[in-house]
Amino acid sequence: MIENKVVVITGASSGIGAATAKLLASQGARVVLGARREDKLAALTDEINDAGGQAVYRVTDVTKSVDNENLVQLAKDAFGGIDVMFLNAGLMPVAPMSELHVDEWNQMIDVNIKGVLNGIAAALPTFKDQKSGHFIATSSVAGLKAYPGGAVYGATKWAVRDLMEVLRMEAAQEGSHIRTATIYPAAIKTELLNTITDKAAGDAMQRTYDTYEIGADRIAKVVAFAIDMPDDTNVNEFTVGPTDQPW
């Protein structure tokens, strides 16, 4: 059941996060939106509420533990609790390692790995106490297969895969009834391409997206499917991409 579930979404201001927020709210979920861009968060929250949904937001930098904690607290204050934590914030400034974009490597590690860890740490105590909860994370096909130019991005997404799998195992061992789901999108229409500063890598990625890109609403439907599964069912991994591309 999606109706009345409280869903916290990071990276909610655009792309997969925004599409998921709108879809879940239309199905009766109460959504709590976090991202860095307040103007986009405010507009999205107004759009959802004007359409009859329920949404609140807080400006959130996932690299800061306190911001994640405040986002979870907002869910409790506004809607009385938290059922789902969708760890969706991410960056993708791909480039050959030989270009030594070290600052971008560190940014990806901070957002794509530490941001996920901070979100887990913020929600996990509540999930354990209530013996229920659902962590959903956005990884990537780059978390399943290596691609030239995607070494560091892929490494962060492999890390997400491992974190979520071990979290699932430990939850089962501890009997906490916490569910997990990891999503592996391919070429999805989002703002990720805007984070690529290396021109050659950006041009190559744009050509791929021009051929295979699908809408963020496709991922939103997968998130909704995962949440709507019976509470005693844990379907853990979803790979989503164009049917004509062997990702």
Side-chain angles (χ1 to χ4, degrees):
M1 287 287 292
I2 292 174
E3 188 173 6
N4 292 323
K5 283 195 173 178
V6 180
V7 183
V8 175
I9 303 173
T10 64
S13 61
S14 65
I16 291 170
T20 301
K22 288 188 280 190
L23 177 62
L24 295 180
S26 73
Q27 297 181 6
R30 295 170 287 177
V31 295
V32 181
L33 312 179
R36 290 177 295 179
R37 296 176 293 182
E38 184 168 15
D39 58 336
K40 289 185 174 291
L41 282 175
L44 177 59
T45 300
D46 287 345
E47 179 183 349
I48 290 170
N49 290 330
D50 290 346
Q54 298 181 70
V56 294
Y57 78 87
R58 186 183 297 276
V59 174
T60 303
D61 180 345
V62 296
T63 68
K64 299 177 180 178
S65 295
V66 67
D67 280 18
N68 291 268
E69 293 163 3
N70 288 339
L71 193 61
V72 170
Q73 188 60 50
L74 175 62
K76 296 178 180 180
D77 293 343
F79 299 128
I82 174 174
D83 299 297
V84 181
M85 187 78 175
F86 181 25
L87 306 162
N88 174 65
L91 299 174
M92 191 184 70
V94 295
M97 293 195 74
S98 58
E99 296 298 323
L100 294 177
H101 294 305
V102 177
D103 288 343
E104 292 180 352
W105 299 352
N106 288 322
Q107 289 173 349
M108 282 189 282
I109 291 167
D110 286 345
V111 173
N112 298 359
I113 301 179
K114 292 181 182 179
V116 169
L117 287 170
N118 287 338
I120 291 172
L124 187 55
T126 298
F127 285 175
K128 288 185 68 176
D129 286 346
Q130 66 194 25
K131 287 193 175 298
S132 67
H134 200 171
F135 285 108
I136 302 175
T138 303
S139 179
S140 168
V141 290
L144 298 170
K145 180 180 178 180
Y147 295 92
V152 180
Y153 176 70
T156 66
K157 293 304 185 177
W158 278 82
V160 170
R161 181 187 187 193
D162 184 73
L163 287 170
M164 294 294 286
E165 178 63 4
V166 173
L167 181 60
R168 181 193 66 79
M169 293 176 177
E170 292 179 351
Q173 289 177 338
E174 295 167 3
S176 63
H177 303 286
I178 296 170
R179 297 192 293 162
T180 67
T182 309
I183 301 172
Y184 302 92
I188 310 300
K189 186 176 182 179
T190 70
E191 295 182 359
L192 279 181
L193 292 184
N194 297 341
T195 69
I196 302 174
T197 63
D198 186 275
K199 187 177 186 308
D203 290 346
M205 190 66 73
Q206 185 64 63
R207 288 192 294 271
T208 298
Y209 273 60
D210 287 344
T211 303
Y212 298 111
E213 182 179 83
I214 61 177
D217 61 302
R218 302 279 286 275
I219 306 301
K221 291 176 182 177
V222 174
V223 176
F225 175 81
I227 295 172
D228 201 37
M229 295 290 287
D231 288 343
D232 60 354
T233 304
N234 195 7
V235 180
N236 190 50
E237 294 190 321
F238 302 87
T239 303
V240 186
T243 56
D244 58 349
Q245 174 64 20
W247 302 100

